[in-house]
């Protein structure tokens, strides 16, 4: 199969196209959608033993595995969740549980949930209306009432998963996907002067100060009210160019804000002014997020090709610097991000946009040493002739691991993992994700380790429980417990929420008698306490 040499569809356009496809097929579905159940790979005995780590020092487990493993869950166009606009609350909630259970069974450690697809909200907000992707009508709350974002966060944390809230900073509406009128509280009604029609979209003009103010207020409100682990924005800054009927590229209609800038004494060229508008918003989000909660990470997932004047030889494609006015390299240079997740949606062997070459490029740009977690186009695994083979994704994960400057991946999107296209979910579970991993630590936001957990072992209960009862009580601020168990000359590693204080001391049906446990506390930034050991005799 020949691969395209031009740039592929970015995440934002993928969302729009997938939404249209889903809309076309949703009318054929029954009233009650099937909710995919999580699948955990098992051996012939029906168990799923986690591969262990060989002992090199009898009483010293190896360092905890660290890798960011996430999936995007897109709400725009009902791509991932909710799967349709007309689901009952019970069906929406069942899908949440199924997605999170599957993520945990795959040993992912984070979900990136789209909560603001188009100046709307998948949570109760006084700033923007309820999303029509939730209830089919913009401004209409779910009935019976519940808070979807709170449920996502609570259920994710119960499974030891991070939850990053994903916002689109400027998109106001995608007309093709909008079946209900805009609510009275929508920005297009409240502040029509800052919203522009561009192609089939309504777009907040980045040159309007009120547009940035609106987005900052929305993001800050979520950070303040919700226990999110990260704030995430994607590749939609100025919109991707659209052509008129004659095939000519249309310029974004920001003449009013541009002329105001010139009248106020602005000296920049128009393209530089547009980039400055986006730069300011990125810097402000970074500052405001950490002002509210110092431990919340801020990340951006831009288009995967950088500035044309810096690209490696042989790399070609769409210029987000010139068309989306996104100077991602500047954001990295200034440390305005806690993580960058460039959308590297090309095969390893596609030379003009080769995965490894572009990953190396972004590693080289990351002079501040922030997290670099590349986005993978796992959704290219389909039932069509154009499908990628799953091995491509496995090879890209391997290439990521080969590079010290890159610490993980995000999969676009959760649907392909839920449907297990070409067995990709099982291949990940049994291959690169066969052991759990902690999210890499973020020391620039804080590097003080939490206090070690206090272990209590009640051997007197063994007569009834068959094994000693162990509890691990962690100090306030602890997010997870990292648990090492030694069976003979093999260590096994697991992670559980700190709220779950009970530690299993059962023998393993595959590896035998439990001989030693060592437990550490892990805080919201990934800092790990000293390990507390306990031997069984």
């Amino acid at each position: 199969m020949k691969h395209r040499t031009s740039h592929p569809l970015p995440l934002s356009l993928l969302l729009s196209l997938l939404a249209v496809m889903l809309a076309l097929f949703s009318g054929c579905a029954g009233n009650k959608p099937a909710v995919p159940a999580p699948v955990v790979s098992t051996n012939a005995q029906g168990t799923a033993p986690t591969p262990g780590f060989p002992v090199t020092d009898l009483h010293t487990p190896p360092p905890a595995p660290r890798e960011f493993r996430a999936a995007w869950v897109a709400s725009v166009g009902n791509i991932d969740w909710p799967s349709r606009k007309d689901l009952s609350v019970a069906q929406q909630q069942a899908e949440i549980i199924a997605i999170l259970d599957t993520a945990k069974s795959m040993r992912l450690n984070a979900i990136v949930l789209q909560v603001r697809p188009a100046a709307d909200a998948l949570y109760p907000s006084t700033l923007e209306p309820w999303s029509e992707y939730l209830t089919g009508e913009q401004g209409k709350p779910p009935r019976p009432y519940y808070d979807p974002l709170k449920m996502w966060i609570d259920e994710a944390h119960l499974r030891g998963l991070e939850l990053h809230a994903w916002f689109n900073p400027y998109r106001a509406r995608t007309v093709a996907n909008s079946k209900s009128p805009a609510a009275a509280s929508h920005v297009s009604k409240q502040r029509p002067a800052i919203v522009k029609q561009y192609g089939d979209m309504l777009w907040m003009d980045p040159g309007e100060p009120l547009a940035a103010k609106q987005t900052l207020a929305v993001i800050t409100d979520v950070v303040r009210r919700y226990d999110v682990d990260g704030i995430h924005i994607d590749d939609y800054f100025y919109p991707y160019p659209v052509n008129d009927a004659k095939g000519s590229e249309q310029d974004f209609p920001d003449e009013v804000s541009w002329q105001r800038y010139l009248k106020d004494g602005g000296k920049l060229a128009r393209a530089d002014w547009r980039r400055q508008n986006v730069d300011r918003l990125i810097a402000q989000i970074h500052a405001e997020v950490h002002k509210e909660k110092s431990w919340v990470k801020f990340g951006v997932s831009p288009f995967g090709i950088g500035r044309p004047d810096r690209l490696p030889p042989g790399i070609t494609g769409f210029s987000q610097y010139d068309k989306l006015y996104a100077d991602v390299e500047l954001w990295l240079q200034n440390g305005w991000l806690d993580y960058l997740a460039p959308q590297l949606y090309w095969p390893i062997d596609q030379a003009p946009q080769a995965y490894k070459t572009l990953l190396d490029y972004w590693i080289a740009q990351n002079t501040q040493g922030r997290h670099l977690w590349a986005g993978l186009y796992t959704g290219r695994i389909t039932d069509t002739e154009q499908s990628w083979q799953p091995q491509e994704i496995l090879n890209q994960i391997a290439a990521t691991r080969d590079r010290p400057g890159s610490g993980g991946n995000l999969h676009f999107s959760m649907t392909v993992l839920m449907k297990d296209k070409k067995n990709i979910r099982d291949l990940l579970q049994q291959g690169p994700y066969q052991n759990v991993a902690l999210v890499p630590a973020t020391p620039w936001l804080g590097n003080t380790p939490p206090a070690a957990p206090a272990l209590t072992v009640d051997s007197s209960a063994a007569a009834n429980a068959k094994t000693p009862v162990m509890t691990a009580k962690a100090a306030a601020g602890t997010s997870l417990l990292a648990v090492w168990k030694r069976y003979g000359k093999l260590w096994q590693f697991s992670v559980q929420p700190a709220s779950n204080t009970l530690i299993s001391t059962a023998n393993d049906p595959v590896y035998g008698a439990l001989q030693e446990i060592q437990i550490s506390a892990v805080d919201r930034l990934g800092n790990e306490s000293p390990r507390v050991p306990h031997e069984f005799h």
Side-chain angles (χ1 to χ4, degrees), residues 58-80:
L58 188 62
H59 300 295
T60 306
R66 297 270 185 169
E67 182 176 57
F68 192 69
R69 302 173 186 169
W72 280 288
V73 175
S75 57
V76 64
N78 301 99
I79 289 169
D80 293 303

Side-chain angles (χ1 to χ4, degrees), residues 2-228:
K2 291 184 178 180
H3 297 290
R4 301 190 318 173
T5 55
S6 60
H7 68 277
L9 293 175
L11 175 58
S12 50
L13 296 185
L14 286 168
L15 294 175
S16 300
L17 290 176
L18 284 169
V20 172
M21 293 171 65
L22 288 170
L24 290 173
F25 288 103
S26 63
C28 302
N31 291 330
K32 186 176 181 180
V35 177
V39 176
V40 180
S41 304
T42 60
N43 60 20
Q45 289 73 42
T47 60
T50 301
F53 297 83
V55 169
T56 55
D57 182 336
L58 188 62
H59 300 295
T60 306
R66 297 270 185 169
E67 182 176 57
F68 192 69
R69 302 173 186 169
W72 280 288
V73 175
S75 57
V76 64
N78 301 99
I79 289 169
D80 293 303
W81 182 86
S83 63
R84 294 211 317 262
K85 296 179 181 179
D86 60 350
L87 297 187
S88 68
V89 164
Q91 290 168 335
Q92 292 175 9
Q93 294 176 339
E95 289 190 346
I96 293 173
I97 297 302
I99 289 171
L100 292 173
D101 281 349
T102 301
K104 178 177 172 59
S105 77
M106 290 182 61
R107 304 180 188 94
L108 303 183
N109 50 33
I111 289 291
V112 181
L113 174 70
Q114 191 174 32
V115 300
R116 190 210 196 199
D120 51 5
L122 276 85
Y123 57 92
S125 172
T126 60
L127 301 174
E128 293 184 320
W130 284 97
S131 175
E132 70 175 289
Y133 301 119
L134 188 69
T135 62
E137 179 183 334
Q138 191 176 85
K140 179 181 177 181
R143 289 287 183 265
Y145 180 85
Y146 80 113
D147 184 339
L149 180 53
K150 185 177 188 304
M151 180 174 179
W152 272 100
I153 294 168
D154 290 346
E155 294 293 336
H157 289 172
L158 281 173
R159 291 159 176 80
L161 302 169
E162 290 193 352
L163 195 291
H164 294 220
W166 165 17
F167 299 79
N168 189 281
Y170 296 115
R171 184 171 57 203
R173 214 139 194 242
T174 302
V175 177
N177 294 332
S178 301
K179 306 302 180 184
S180 69
S185 58
H186 190 254
V187 67
S188 64
K189 300 294 187 181
Q190 292 289 315
R191 297 187 174 99
I194 71 171
V195 177
K196 309 298 180 182
Q197 176 91 36
Y198 186 67
D200 67 350
M201 293 177 289
L202 296 181
W203 209 265
M204 285 188 283
D205 179 2
E208 292 285 355
L210 285 177
K213 183 178 180 181
Q214 175 80 6
T215 292
L216 281 169
V218 167
I219 291 175
T220 303
D221 174 60
V222 167
V223 175
R224 184 180 300 124
R225 292 196 291 131
Y226 290 94
D227 192 22
V228 295

